[in-house]
Amino acid sequence: MHQPPLAPSSPAFLLALLPFIATVIPMPVTAQNISADYNREARDLAAHPAIVNAFSAIEAMDDWALEHLIELTEIPAPPFMEEARGRRFAELLAEYGADSVWTDAEGNVIGLRRGRRGDRTIGFGGHLDTVFPEGTDVTVRQRGDTIFAPGVGDDTRGLVVVLAVLRAMVEAGIETDSDIHFVGVVGEEGVGDLRGMKHMFRDPAAAPDAWIEVDGGGLTRLVTDGLGSVRYRVTFEGPGGHSWGAFGLANPAHAMSRAVRYFQDTADTLTRSGPRTSYNVGRIGGGTSVNAIPFASWMEVDMRSISPESLAHIEQVFLAAMDRALEEENALRRDGPALTVDKLKIGDRPSGEGDRNAPLVQRALATTAVFGVRGQLGRSSTDSNIPIAMGIPAVTIGRGGMGFGGHSPGEYWINVDGHLAIQRALLLLVAEAGMAGMIP
């Protein structure tokens, strides 16, 4: 949700307010105060001439950012088909100052900007994929200051924020102590199952030391906790046949109906108390005709919880319900072979909670406060789930502007002070990577 800025965006006016921000803006966020050291660090960094120049450069690139938002939006990036958008993103990373650019084995596009020391690596990314299937019309339409297209906000705008930060750092001559990876990540949406992040963090020794993701709305919300989920595609299969002539065969649709009922009977009791947990049968299909016993019936099921233990429990309840339904339907058959069931796990996103006192989280709160906004720590399911679950510092920040209708064909985005999100992202990234030559 968009948060109207509480301070003017002019760098000169902003800097005039810096000495007062820490006392004027209430700091507690979910019982979490910002350390005075990190408040001071953020204010000092925002006053650095190179950062002021970068902020000015960002304000001047609105037309450039809009041009690239339209260009990238109109390159389709369905789940598992992000290659074309990734190629163009790689070209833009090289054009705007990355020292080297490559695409890894999973399809993630990575632009390296070397640090003076190079003893740490900070990952800074948005996701390349959208939820929309192949063939979706992604042509951008403009009406005044509003642009309409599937995926224009989620997360194409996030990619533009990543590019804009890179360009502003290069133009302002900002160097950091740590290496920075500017990343277009694959597989964030749906059955992509965070495959891009799982690949990047498969070897902790080679993974980034901290991760900043751009995904979501305005300046206020900072995602520091991961919402875990498991997803299944379950298929009951049998011989199928005519509804009259083959009556007596075991029926996959009947078995699936039992399975949903048995699952809900227990899942309902599990989700009424304890750590927040949810379940949903999201898609159902199968069968060929009203007068035919289906040879297959399938469903896709999503389960989520803030607690790994609760998630594991409801998953076991789900699997047991599938087996019980299969057994009972087979016991009713009068003829033919028994049904089988395939329980294919199509999603497994870990949950986790970030350390509120970690430097990255403190810096996210402090750099947000520089813009007169009180950050609010939250939980969601984003690319940051993977590092959070591994105990690696991570935060997901907003892409700015006003976005509506995400995951729908009517999605649109309005550039209302969108530059503030880019400025905050730059300030946070440089704070975490360390401004080269700046005395702590």
Side-chain angles (χ1 to χ4, degrees):
M1 181 178 294
H2 172 66
Q3 289 288 329
L6 302 180
S9 58
S10 163
F13 191 82
L14 176 63
L15 292 175
L17 289 179
L18 287 176
F20 308 100
I21 285 176
T23 56
V24 172
I25 303 300
M27 288 296 109
V29 180
T30 60
Q32 177 66 33
N33 292 323
I34 309 173
S35 162
D37 290 342
Y38 290 105
N39 267 325
R40 183 169 54 252
E41 176 192 73
R43 294 196 306 270
D44 290 348
L45 189 59
H48 192 286
I51 297 294
V52 174
N53 289 339
F55 281 3
S56 296
I58 288 167
E59 288 194 26
M61 50 173 90
D62 261 5
D63 290 343
W64 171 91
L66 182 61
E67 173 188 338
H68 286 300
L69 177 58
I70 292 171
E71 178 191 10
L72 289 171
T73 299
E74 291 185 337
I75 302 174
F80 297 94
M81 300 178 68
E82 304 100 330
E83 294 88 349
R85 181 178 287 190
R87 284 194 297 270
R88 180 56 180 151
F89 187 70
E91 292 171 353
L92 293 170
L93 287 173
E95 180 178 350
Y96 291 109
D99 295 320
S100 59
V101 179
W102 68 95
T103 300
D104 69 20
E106 194 62 41
N108 299 307
V109 178
I110 303 167
L112 166 66
R113 192 147 193 269
R114 294 185 184 88
R116 290 269 189 93
R117 298 177 185 170
D119 53 346
R120 296 176 72 231
T121 299
I122 312 303
F124 176 55
H127 64 84
L128 287 163
D129 58 323
T130 72
V131 299
F132 302 98
E134 186 178 11
T136 300
D137 183 0
V138 292
T139 303
V140 171
R141 296 175 292 111
Q142 291 186 256
R143 187 183 306 151
D145 61 357
T146 306
I147 56 176
F148 299 81
V152 68
D154 187 9
D155 188 31
T156 316
R157 167 66 183 179
L159 297 174
V160 173
V161 171
V162 172
L163 290 170
V165 169
L166 171 62
R167 179 185 171 188
M169 288 179 66
V170 172
E171 289 187 3
I174 295 172
E175 294 188 60
T176 56
D177 292 326
S178 301
D179 291 345
I180 300 174
H181 284 176
F182 294 83
V183 189
V185 186
V186 297
E188 194 275 344
E189 298 286 9
V191 294
D193 197 32
L194 307 184
R195 75 182 201 279
M197 291 295 283
K198 289 177 178 178
H199 181 80
M200 276 194 291
F201 285 87
R202 69 196 184 284
D203 178 4
D209 297 285
W211 181 262
I212 301 169
E213 178 80 4
V214 185
D215 192 4
L219 295 178
T220 300
R221 192 164 186 240
L222 305 168
V223 176
T224 56
D225 297 336
L227 177 61
S229 67
V230 291
R231 293 166 177 170
Y232 278 86
R233 182 182 175 98
V234 174
T235 305
F236 290 91
E237 294 182 285
H242 195 281
S243 62
W244 176 260
F247 181 70
L249 293 178
N251 188 313
H254 296 179
M256 192 173 74
S257 300
R258 290 173 182 273
V260 173
R261 174 60 187 274
Y262 293 151
F263 173 48
Q264 185 170 31
D265 282 349
T266 305
D268 176 68
T269 64
L270 295 179
T271 56
R272 289 186 177 272
S273 61
R276 185 178 176 188
T277 304
S278 69
Y279 60 93
N280 179 61
V281 178
R283 299 181 67 215
I284 290 176
T288 56
S289 171
V290 68
N291 62 336
I293 299 168
F295 59 85
S297 292
W298 59 267
M299 62 178 171
E300 291 179 351
V301 182
D302 172 270
M303 294 163 276
R304 303 182 182 219
S305 182
I306 64 174
S307 161
E309 294 76 18
S310 295
L311 186 59
H313 189 188
I314 198 170
E315 180 182 9
Q316 291 306 310
V317 165
F318 168 77
L319 294 172
M322 301 305 104
D323 291 338
R324 178 184 173 188
L326 177 71
E327 181 181 353
E328 291 191 3
E329 179 62 24
N330 280 332
L332 292 176
R333 79 185 193 280
R334 305 175 190 181
D335 193 14
L339 300 181
T340 61
V341 63
D342 177 44
K343 297 166 287 189
L344 176 64
K345 183 180 281 192
I346 58 174
D348 191 356
R349 299 184 177 212
S351 59
E353 295 188 354
D355 178 3
R356 270 60 171 164
N357 295 312
L360 177 60
V361 175
Q362 287 286 302
R363 286 177 174 132
L365 290 165
T367 54
T368 299
V370 164
F371 294 89
V373 176
R374 180 170 48 187
Q376 297 178 354
L377 306 185
R379 184 187 298 272
S380 189
S381 181
T382 71
D383 275 332
S384 293
N385 277 41
I386 300 301
I388 289 171
M390 297 173 66
I392 296 171
V395 61
T396 296
I397 61 177
R399 49 187 169 250
M402 296 177 65
F404 299 90
H407 290 201
S408 77
E411 184 176 359
Y412 63 96
W413 185 81
I414 308 172
N415 186 20
V416 177
D417 289 327
H419 63 280
L420 294 179
I422 303 173
Q423 291 170 338
R424 190 269 303 275
L426 182 144
L427 191 61
L428 173 58
L429 179 61
V430 175
E432 183 66 18
M435 184 86 154
M438 190 168 182
I439 300 174

